[in-house]
Amino acid sequence: MRAARLIKMVLMLQSRASMTAAELARELEVSERTVARDAQALSEAGVPVYADRGRAGGYRLIGGYRTRLTGLARGEAEALFLSGVPGALREMGLEDTASAARLKVSAALLPSLRDASRTAAQRFHLDAPAWFSEPRAPELLPPVADAVWDDRPVVARYGRDGAEVERTLEPYGLVLKAGVWYLCARVPEAGTFRVYRIDRFTAVGLGEERFRRDEGFDLPGFWEERAEQFARSILRAEAVVRLSPDGVRRLPYAVDPTAARAALDGCGAPDDRGWVTVTLPVESEEVAHTQLTGLGPEVEVLSPAALRERFAADAARSAALYA
């Protein structure tokens, strides 16, 4: 632990002209007295750490000293590629690893480039969770993430149809979708890849031996395909509707994008008012009513008759309210 802290202290001093004892103590999460002892230990080991006394004093490296301890470990290099998703790193337990990697990269850069990480962070930020929801990291996410990194199989228990199922999985990748974590895994006994919501796992046990990955597996491509399949699988009904030009523009924001794309791709020519008639795949009459209500007078439901009657009743009630 102390050796890692000493290395981090050297890298921090190498990436900055000078740091006060208070700054070092805060970054290293130790007391200022410990900082002084560590500086003394580094000096005795031949690292030229110099302490400036006084109110404006601090610690710095002298003589243009450059350490060679900037090589990235494999885990640090992998975490560095995820550094644009700080929330995800924190939930997977990789925040400290990514911090060490960024520090090593910073120390290796020319002095004129060392503020690159700060300037980039002030200009770009990825906010993955959906609006109006409180994202919660699944309790079992860290061990699952460890298994993904190490190519170790897991024995997972999860609820299904009111019962608890136990299954051995080869975890290939994690996906964070709108604040929800999913595991893409191969089921050895079936030889197929499947998707699991991690928040539905009740227990996870890690295997000792590593499994051999299929190097042809493409996580982004697999997820895109499965997401498309899932979206289509729940769209089991249809509604025929007329849309105004504004309704056409707003449709992808009101209903599932896959359903909107399928409907608009198959629509005919607009009438003399610019309205078009489309056949919209929907999950159910109830869901279609909720989604299409958001389009207001920019949509007219033609069928099914029961859905049209619901919108007619809604329109009558609204007219009565605003009469």
Side-chain angles (χ1 to χ4, degrees):
M1 178 65 73
R2 190 189 187 199
R5 189 175 70 242
L6 292 174
I7 292 172
K8 186 174 182 179
M9 183 175 179
V10 172
L11 292 173
M12 290 170 65
L13 292 174
Q14 183 173 310
S15 63
R16 308 181 199 181
S18 176
M19 295 185 70
T20 65
E23 290 173 335
L24 285 167
R26 184 171 57 253
E27 293 281 351
L28 298 172
E29 298 181 349
V30 296
S31 66
E32 293 186 28
R33 181 172 296 181
T34 299
V35 168
R37 286 198 297 264
D38 286 351
Q40 181 64 30
L42 287 171
S43 181
E44 292 173 356
V47 178
V49 178
Y50 180 76
D52 290 318
R53 306 297 179 183
R55 180 177 299 179
Y59 292 91
R60 60 188 176 87
L61 295 174
I62 61 175
Y65 179 82
R66 304 285 296 178
T67 178
R68 295 181 179 272
L69 298 173
T70 53
L72 292 178
R74 179 177 179 83
E76 293 170 341
E78 291 170 334
L80 189 61
F81 284 102
L82 293 172
S83 59
V85 197
L89 281 169
R90 183 170 54 253
E91 292 174 6
M92 288 190 290
L94 296 173
E95 189 173 29
D96 290 341
T97 302
S99 176
R102 288 193 295 268
L103 185 59
K104 289 183 177 182
V105 170
S106 178
L109 292 174
L110 293 172
S112 60
L113 300 177
R114 286 178 188 158
D115 66 340
S117 61
R118 181 185 61 81
T119 56
Q122 293 303 318
R123 288 163 173 79
F124 301 99
H125 176 67
L126 175 62
D127 184 11
W131 285 103
F132 313 119
S133 63
E134 184 66 29
R136 293 184 179 179
E139 188 175 325
L140 296 174
L141 177 60
V144 173
D146 287 343
V148 170
W149 286 117
D150 294 339
D151 294 339
R152 294 169 62 190
V154 299
V155 178
R157 290 205 301 270
Y158 58 95
R160 189 181 69 181
D161 298 330
E164 193 169 71
V165 177
E166 183 175 282
R167 179 154 289 163
T168 298
L169 305 172
E170 295 177 349
Y172 269 66
L174 294 169
V175 175
L176 176 60
K177 170 70 171 178
V180 179
W181 283 95
Y182 296 88
L183 172 67
C184 301
R186 182 177 180 272
V187 183
E189 61 187 33
T192 57
F193 288 91
R194 299 177 186 174
V195 177
Y196 299 87
R197 277 186 61 148
I198 298 178
D199 58 5
R200 293 179 181 168
F201 287 171
T202 58
V204 171
L206 274 63
E208 294 297 329
E209 296 185 1
R210 294 183 175 181
F211 63 88
R212 184 185 296 275
R213 289 181 67 93
D214 178 358
E215 297 302 329
F217 178 77
D218 173 31
L219 179 61
F222 171 79
W223 177 259
E224 182 179 3
E225 178 184 348
R226 288 305 171 94
E228 184 83 8
Q229 290 177 358
F230 174 75
R232 292 185 181 281
S233 70
I234 64 174
L235 301 175
R236 300 173 180 173
E238 291 182 342
V240 180
V241 301
R242 294 178 67 240
L243 295 166
S244 71
D246 192 43
V248 170
R249 180 184 62 81
R250 291 165 53 188
L251 184 66
Y253 304 98
V255 304
D256 181 87
T258 300
R261 186 165 56 249
L264 296 177
D265 286 348
C267 72
D271 61 18
D272 55 359
R273 296 173 53 203
W275 287 57
V276 296
T277 300
V278 302
T279 300
L280 178 69
V282 296
E283 184 176 347
S284 65
E285 180 182 313
E286 186 69 31
V287 173
H289 177 256
T290 301
Q291 293 176 333
L292 293 175
T293 295
L295 294 179
E298 308 306 322
V299 61
E300 178 190 1
V301 176
L302 302 179
S303 68
L307 183 59
R308 180 178 174 85
E309 290 170 3
R310 292 183 69 167
F311 274 91
D314 289 347
R317 290 174 59 195
S318 295
L321 285 174
Y322 291 98

mmCIF file of all heavy atoms in Angstrom, residues 232-268:
data_model
loop_
_atom_site.group_PDB
_atom_site.id
_atom_site.type_symbol
_atom_site.label_atom_id
_atom_site.label_comp_id
_atom_site.label_asym_id
_atom_site.label_seq_id
_atom_site.Cartn_x
_atom_site.Cartn_y
_atom_site.Cartn_z
ATOM 1 N N ARG A 232 -38.916 -5.563 -31.501
ATOM 2 C CA ARG A 232 -39.901 -6.142 -32.417
ATOM 3 C C ARG A 232 -40.764 -7.191 -31.722
ATOM 4 O O ARG A 232 -41.942 -7.362 -32.059
ATOM 5 C CB ARG A 232 -39.195 -6.748 -33.631
ATOM 6 C CG ARG A 232 -38.538 -5.700 -34.533
ATOM 7 C CD ARG A 232 -37.961 -6.333 -35.791
ATOM 8 N NE ARG A 232 -37.325 -5.351 -36.643
ATOM 9 C CZ ARG A 232 -37.962 -4.525 -37.464
ATOM 10 N NH1 ARG A 232 -39.289 -4.593 -37.558
ATOM 11 N NH2 ARG A 232 -37.307 -3.653 -38.203
ATOM 12 N N SER A 233 -40.191 -7.908 -30.759
ATOM 13 C CA SER A 233 -40.922 -8.998 -30.111
ATOM 14 C C SER A 233 -42.109 -8.501 -29.296
ATOM 15 O O SER A 233 -43.090 -9.233 -29.105
ATOM 16 C CB SER A 233 -39.981 -9.804 -29.215
ATOM 17 O OG SER A 233 -39.591 -9.060 -28.081
ATOM 18 N N ILE A 234 -42.005 -7.259 -28.775
ATOM 19 C CA ILE A 234 -43.107 -6.758 -27.946
ATOM 20 C C ILE A 234 -44.137 -5.983 -28.767
ATOM 21 O O ILE A 234 -45.187 -5.620 -28.248
ATOM 22 C CB ILE A 234 -42.572 -5.863 -26.809
ATOM 23 C CG1 ILE A 234 -41.894 -4.615 -27.367
ATOM 24 C CG2 ILE A 234 -41.638 -6.632 -25.910
ATOM 25 C CD1 ILE A 234 -41.476 -3.632 -26.291
ATOM 26 N N LEU A 235 -43.853 -5.742 -30.047
ATOM 27 C CA LEU A 235 -44.795 -5.020 -30.905
ATOM 28 C C LEU A 235 -45.679 -6.037 -31.625
ATOM 29 O O LEU A 235 -45.457 -6.379 -32.784
ATOM 30 C CB LEU A 235 -44.033 -4.136 -31.901
ATOM 31 C CG LEU A 235 -43.107 -3.094 -31.276
ATOM 32 C CD1 LEU A 235 -42.312 -2.364 -32.348
ATOM 33 C CD2 LEU A 235 -43.900 -2.106 -30.435
ATOM 34 N N ARG A 236 -46.701 -6.530 -30.921
ATOM 35 C CA ARG A 236 -47.488 -7.648 -31.418
ATOM 36 C C ARG A 236 -48.838 -7.230 -32.003
ATOM 37 O O ARG A 236 -49.599 -8.078 -32.467
ATOM 38 C CB ARG A 236 -47.723 -8.649 -30.283
ATOM 39 C CG ARG A 236 -46.421 -9.204 -29.700
ATOM 40 C CD ARG A 236 -46.681 -10.050 -28.481
ATOM 41 N NE ARG A 236 -45.432 -10.580 -27.934
ATOM 42 C CZ ARG A 236 -45.335 -11.238 -26.788
ATOM 43 N NH1 ARG A 236 -46.422 -11.469 -26.077
ATOM 44 N NH2 ARG A 236 -44.167 -11.670 -26.359
ATOM 45 N N ALA A 237 -49.159 -5.963 -31.931
ATOM 46 C CA ALA A 237 -50.442 -5.485 -32.464
ATOM 47 C C ALA A 237 -50.179 -4.344 -33.437
ATOM 48 O O ALA A 237 -49.034 -3.921 -33.632
ATOM 49 C CB ALA A 237 -51.348 -5.035 -31.320
ATOM 50 N N GLU A 238 -51.235 -3.850 -34.061
ATOM 51 C CA GLU A 238 -51.104 -2.766 -35.035
ATOM 52 C C GLU A 238 -52.217 -1.749 -34.834
ATOM 53 O O GLU A 238 -53.326 -2.091 -34.388
ATOM 54 C CB GLU A 238 -51.156 -3.293 -36.474
ATOM 55 C CG GLU A 238 -49.954 -4.113 -36.884
ATOM 56 C CD GLU A 238 -50.037 -4.554 -38.331
ATOM 57 O OE1 GLU A 238 -51.165 -4.521 -38.904
ATOM 58 O OE2 GLU A 238 -49.002 -4.945 -38.899
ATOM 59 N N ALA A 239 -51.908 -0.513 -35.184
ATOM 60 C CA ALA A 239 -52.914 0.548 -35.194
ATOM 61 C C ALA A 239 -52.738 1.336 -36.486
ATOM 62 O O ALA A 239 -51.610 1.651 -36.877
ATOM 63 C CB ALA A 239 -52.753 1.469 -33.984
ATOM 64 N N VAL A 240 -53.834 1.628 -37.164
ATOM 65 C CA VAL A 240 -53.788 2.443 -38.378
ATOM 66 C C VAL A 240 -54.154 3.865 -37.986
ATOM 67 O O VAL A 240 -55.216 4.110 -37.390
ATOM 68 C CB VAL A 240 -54.767 1.913 -39.446
ATOM 69 C CG1 VAL A 240 -54.702 2.791 -40.696
ATOM 70 C CG2 VAL A 240 -54.437 0.463 -39.790
ATOM 71 N N VAL A 241 -53.238 4.783 -38.290
ATOM 72 C CA VAL A 241 -53.451 6.175 -37.867
ATOM 73 C C VAL A 241 -53.127 7.128 -39.005
ATOM 74 O O VAL A 241 -52.384 6.786 -39.925
ATOM 75 C CB VAL A 241 -52.565 6.525 -36.644
ATOM 76 C CG1 VAL A 241 -52.865 5.606 -35.479
ATOM 77 C CG2 VAL A 241 -51.088 6.468 -37.003
ATOM 78 N N ARG A 242 -53.708 8.334 -38.919
ATOM 79 C CA ARG A 242 -53.368 9.426 -39.826
ATOM 80 C C ARG A 242 -52.531 10.431 -39.061
ATOM 81 O O ARG A 242 -52.828 10.746 -37.897
ATOM 82 C CB ARG A 242 -54.616 10.105 -40.392
ATOM 83 C CG ARG A 242 -55.447 9.234 -41.311
ATOM 84 C CD ARG A 242 -56.699 9.974 -41.783
ATOM 85 N NE ARG A 242 -56.368 11.099 -42.652
ATOM 86 C CZ ARG A 242 -56.682 12.358 -42.386
ATOM 87 N NH1 ARG A 242 -57.311 12.688 -41.263
ATOM 88 N NH2 ARG A 242 -56.359 13.322 -43.232
ATOM 89 N N LEU A 243 -51.492 10.947 -39.709
ATOM 90 C CA LEU A 243 -50.577 11.873 -39.053
ATOM 91 C C LEU A 243 -50.457 13.157 -39.848
ATOM 92 O O LEU A 243 -50.326 13.132 -41.084
ATOM 93 C CB LEU A 243 -49.186 11.247 -38.928
ATOM 94 C CG LEU A 243 -49.051 10.008 -38.033
ATOM 95 C CD1 LEU A 243 -47.711 9.330 -38.299
ATOM 96 C CD2 LEU A 243 -49.187 10.376 -36.568
ATOM 97 N N SER A 244 -50.490 14.277 -39.159
ATOM 98 C CA SER A 244 -50.210 15.560 -39.788
ATOM 99 C C SER A 244 -48.709 15.662 -40.041
ATOM 100 O O SER A 244 -47.930 14.844 -39.537
ATOM 101 C CB SER A 244 -50.649 16.700 -38.862
ATOM 102 O OG SER A 244 -49.771 16.769 -37.737
ATOM 103 N N PRO A 245 -48.239 16.640 -40.802
ATOM 104 C CA PRO A 245 -46.789 16.793 -40.985
ATOM 105 C C PRO A 245 -46.062 16.925 -39.652
ATOM 106 O O PRO A 245 -44.972 16.358 -39.470
ATOM 107 C CB PRO A 245 -46.684 18.075 -41.820
ATOM 108 C CG PRO A 245 -47.957 18.106 -42.615
ATOM 109 C CD PRO A 245 -49.003 17.571 -41.681
ATOM 110 N N ASP A 246 -46.650 17.631 -38.692
ATOM 111 C CA ASP A 246 -46.023 17.754 -37.384
ATOM 112 C C ASP A 246 -46.081 16.429 -36.639
ATOM 113 O O ASP A 246 -45.167 16.074 -35.894
ATOM 114 C CB ASP A 246 -46.705 18.843 -36.560
ATOM 115 C CG ASP A 246 -45.913 19.214 -35.322
ATOM 116 O OD1 ASP A 246 -44.671 19.341 -35.424
ATOM 117 O OD2 ASP A 246 -46.515 19.349 -34.245
ATOM 118 N N GLY A 247 -47.162 15.668 -36.842
ATOM 119 C CA GLY A 247 -47.274 14.353 -36.222
ATOM 120 C C GLY A 247 -46.217 13.389 -36.737
ATOM 121 O O GLY A 247 -45.682 12.578 -35.984
ATOM 122 N N VAL A 248 -45.917 13.488 -38.039
ATOM 123 C CA VAL A 248 -44.856 12.656 -38.623
ATOM 124 C C VAL A 248 -43.521 12.977 -37.962
ATOM 125 O O VAL A 248 -42.736 12.076 -37.626
ATOM 126 C CB VAL A 248 -44.777 12.874 -40.149
ATOM 127 C CG1 VAL A 248 -43.527 12.219 -40.720
ATOM 128 C CG2 VAL A 248 -46.021 12.327 -40.829
ATOM 129 N N ARG A 249 -43.281 14.265 -37.765
ATOM 130 C CA ARG A 249 -42.010 14.665 -37.150
ATOM 131 C C ARG A 249 -41.901 14.196 -35.697
ATOM 132 O O ARG A 249 -40.831 13.794 -35.247
ATOM 133 C CB ARG A 249 -41.883 16.192 -37.218
ATOM 134 C CG ARG A 249 -40.599 16.738 -36.616
ATOM 135 C CD ARG A 249 -40.581 18.257 -36.641
ATOM 136 N NE ARG A 249 -41.658 18.831 -35.860
ATOM 137 C CZ ARG A 249 -41.609 18.976 -34.527
ATOM 138 N NH1 ARG A 249 -40.547 18.564 -33.852
ATOM 139 N NH2 ARG A 249 -42.633 19.510 -33.884
ATOM 140 N N ARG A 250 -43.020 14.216 -34.981
ATOM 141 C CA ARG A 250 -43.001 13.900 -33.556
ATOM 142 C C ARG A 250 -43.171 12.420 -33.245
ATOM 143 O O ARG A 250 -42.921 11.984 -32.117
ATOM 144 C CB ARG A 250 -44.087 14.708 -32.842
ATOM 145 C CG ARG A 250 -43.792 16.197 -32.798
ATOM 146 C CD ARG A 250 -45.031 17.005 -32.428
ATOM 147 N NE ARG A 250 -45.657 16.531 -31.203
ATOM 148 C CZ ARG A 250 -46.839 16.964 -30.734
ATOM 149 N NH1 ARG A 250 -47.494 17.902 -31.429
ATOM 150 N NH2 ARG A 250 -47.341 16.488 -29.622
ATOM 151 N N LEU A 251 -43.591 11.631 -34.220
ATOM 152 C CA LEU A 251 -43.888 10.223 -33.965
ATOM 153 C C LEU A 251 -42.709 9.466 -33.347
ATOM 154 O O LEU A 251 -42.902 8.715 -32.377
ATOM 155 C CB LEU A 251 -44.346 9.535 -35.252
ATOM 156 C CG LEU A 251 -44.787 8.073 -35.086
ATOM 157 C CD1 LEU A 251 -46.049 7.988 -34.239
ATOM 158 C CD2 LEU A 251 -45.018 7.409 -36.450
ATOM 159 N N PRO A 252 -41.463 9.596 -33.846
ATOM 160 C CA PRO A 252 -40.355 8.833 -33.256
ATOM 161 C C PRO A 252 -40.087 9.168 -31.796
ATOM 162 O O PRO A 252 -39.437 8.384 -31.091
ATOM 163 C CB PRO A 252 -39.150 9.218 -34.136
ATOM 164 C CG PRO A 252 -39.742 9.679 -35.422
ATOM 165 C CD PRO A 252 -41.028 10.351 -35.038
ATOM 166 N N TYR A 253 -40.564 10.334 -31.330
ATOM 167 C CA TYR A 253 -40.362 10.722 -29.937
ATOM 168 C C TYR A 253 -41.517 10.271 -29.047
ATOM 169 O O TYR A 253 -41.397 10.268 -27.822
ATOM 170 C CB TYR A 253 -40.198 12.244 -29.818
ATOM 171 C CG TYR A 253 -39.076 12.781 -30.671
ATOM 172 C CD1 TYR A 253 -39.334 13.346 -31.922
ATOM 173 C CD2 TYR A 253 -37.746 12.692 -30.252
ATOM 174 C CE1 TYR A 253 -38.303 13.825 -32.716
ATOM 175 C CE2 TYR A 253 -36.719 13.171 -31.048
ATOM 176 C CZ TYR A 253 -37.009 13.735 -32.274
ATOM 177 O OH TYR A 253 -35.975 14.202 -33.055
ATOM 178 N N ALA A 254 -42.633 9.897 -29.670
ATOM 179 C CA ALA A 254 -43.813 9.499 -28.903
ATOM 180 C C ALA A 254 -43.915 7.991 -28.729
ATOM 181 O O ALA A 254 -44.441 7.511 -27.719
ATOM 182 C CB ALA A 254 -45.079 10.025 -29.583
ATOM 183 N N VAL A 255 -43.432 7.237 -29.729
ATOM 184 C CA VAL A 255 -43.531 5.775 -29.675
ATOM 185 C C VAL A 255 -42.134 5.172 -29.809
ATOM 186 O O VAL A 255 -41.141 5.887 -29.946
ATOM 187 C CB VAL A 255 -44.451 5.250 -30.804
ATOM 188 C CG1 VAL A 255 -45.819 5.896 -30.721
ATOM 189 C CG2 VAL A 255 -43.842 5.492 -32.179
ATOM 190 N N ASP A 256 -42.078 3.847 -29.754
ATOM 191 C CA ASP A 256 -40.796 3.168 -29.914
ATOM 192 C C ASP A 256 -40.184 3.533 -31.274
ATOM 193 O O ASP A 256 -40.875 3.481 -32.302
ATOM 194 C CB ASP A 256 -41.004 1.646 -29.831
ATOM 195 C CG ASP A 256 -39.706 0.880 -29.972
ATOM 196 O OD1 ASP A 256 -39.033 0.675 -28.964
ATOM 197 O OD2 ASP A 256 -39.369 0.515 -31.122
ATOM 198 N N PRO A 257 -38.898 3.920 -31.316
ATOM 199 C CA PRO A 257 -38.286 4.312 -32.594
ATOM 200 C C PRO A 257 -38.352 3.234 -33.664
ATOM 201 O O PRO A 257 -38.508 3.536 -34.846
ATOM 202 C CB PRO A 257 -36.838 4.620 -32.204
ATOM 203 C CG PRO A 257 -36.905 4.994 -30.759
ATOM 204 C CD PRO A 257 -37.992 4.133 -30.181
ATOM 205 N N THR A 258 -38.258 1.968 -33.252
ATOM 206 C CA THR A 258 -38.353 0.873 -34.225
ATOM 207 C C THR A 258 -39.732 0.849 -34.860
ATOM 208 O O THR A 258 -39.883 0.672 -36.078
ATOM 209 C CB THR A 258 -38.059 -0.474 -33.542
ATOM 210 O OG1 THR A 258 -36.741 -0.450 -32.995
ATOM 211 C CG2 THR A 258 -38.170 -1.622 -34.533
ATOM 212 N N ALA A 259 -40.770 1.038 -34.039
ATOM 213 C CA ALA A 259 -42.139 1.052 -34.552
ATOM 214 C C ALA A 259 -42.362 2.256 -35.460
ATOM 215 O O ALA A 259 -42.986 2.136 -36.528
ATOM 216 C CB ALA A 259 -43.122 1.082 -33.387
ATOM 217 N N ALA A 260 -41.851 3.405 -35.056
ATOM 218 C CA ALA A 260 -42.018 4.611 -35.877
ATOM 219 C C ALA A 260 -41.336 4.446 -37.225
ATOM 220 O O ALA A 260 -41.893 4.829 -38.269
ATOM 221 C CB ALA A 260 -41.439 5.819 -35.141
ATOM 222 N N ARG A 261 -40.134 3.876 -37.218
ATOM 223 C CA ARG A 261 -39.407 3.688 -38.472
ATOM 224 C C ARG A 261 -40.162 2.745 -39.404
ATOM 225 O O ARG A 261 -40.284 2.994 -40.612
ATOM 226 C CB ARG A 261 -38.003 3.152 -38.166
ATOM 227 C CG ARG A 261 -37.094 3.061 -39.384
ATOM 228 C CD ARG A 261 -35.637 2.880 -38.973
ATOM 229 N NE ARG A 261 -35.436 1.717 -38.124
ATOM 230 C CZ ARG A 261 -35.117 1.783 -36.831
ATOM 231 N NH1 ARG A 261 -34.994 2.951 -36.231
ATOM 232 N NH2 ARG A 261 -34.926 0.680 -36.131
ATOM 233 N N ALA A 262 -40.695 1.635 -38.831
ATOM 234 C CA ALA A 262 -41.437 0.680 -39.649
ATOM 235 C C ALA A 262 -42.692 1.322 -40.225
ATOM 236 O O ALA A 262 -43.051 1.095 -41.389
ATOM 237 C CB ALA A 262 -41.802 -0.549 -38.810
ATOM 238 N N ALA A 263 -43.372 2.139 -39.439
ATOM 239 C CA ALA A 263 -44.602 2.780 -39.906
ATOM 240 C C ALA A 263 -44.332 3.796 -41.003
ATOM 241 O O ALA A 263 -44.998 3.800 -42.045
ATOM 242 C CB ALA A 263 -45.298 3.452 -38.723
ATOM 243 N N LEU A 264 -43.344 4.642 -40.784
ATOM 244 C CA LEU A 264 -43.074 5.714 -41.756
ATOM 245 C C LEU A 264 -42.454 5.180 -43.031
ATOM 246 O O LEU A 264 -42.669 5.750 -44.112
ATOM 247 C CB LEU A 264 -42.168 6.762 -41.115
ATOM 248 C CG LEU A 264 -42.791 7.509 -39.920
ATOM 249 C CD1 LEU A 264 -41.775 8.464 -39.311
ATOM 250 C CD2 LEU A 264 -44.049 8.250 -40.347
ATOM 251 N N ASP A 265 -41.694 4.076 -42.938
ATOM 252 C CA ASP A 265 -41.112 3.488 -44.149
ATOM 253 C C ASP A 265 -42.188 2.933 -45.076
ATOM 254 O O ASP A 265 -41.988 2.857 -46.294
ATOM 255 C CB ASP A 265 -40.120 2.373 -43.782
ATOM 256 C CG ASP A 265 -38.818 2.924 -43.220
ATOM 257 O OD1 ASP A 265 -38.594 4.141 -43.332
ATOM 258 O OD2 ASP A 265 -38.034 2.128 -42.641
ATOM 259 N N GLY A 266 -43.326 2.541 -44.486
ATOM 260 C CA GLY A 266 -44.370 1.921 -45.309
ATOM 261 C C GLY A 266 -45.544 2.833 -45.605
ATOM 262 O O GLY A 266 -46.579 2.352 -46.097
ATOM 263 N N CYS A 267 -45.413 4.128 -45.307
ATOM 264 C CA CYS A 267 -46.560 5.023 -45.498
ATOM 265 C C CYS A 267 -46.708 5.396 -46.973
ATOM 266 O O CYS A 267 -45.754 5.360 -47.748
ATOM 267 C CB CYS A 267 -46.416 6.278 -44.646
ATOM 268 S SG CYS A 267 -45.141 7.431 -45.210
ATOM 269 N N GLY A 268 -47.932 5.770 -47.334
ATOM 270 C CA GLY A 268 -48.195 6.182 -48.707
ATOM 271 C C GLY A 268 -47.963 7.667 -48.901
ATOM 272 O O GLY A 268 -47.387 8.345 -48.049
#
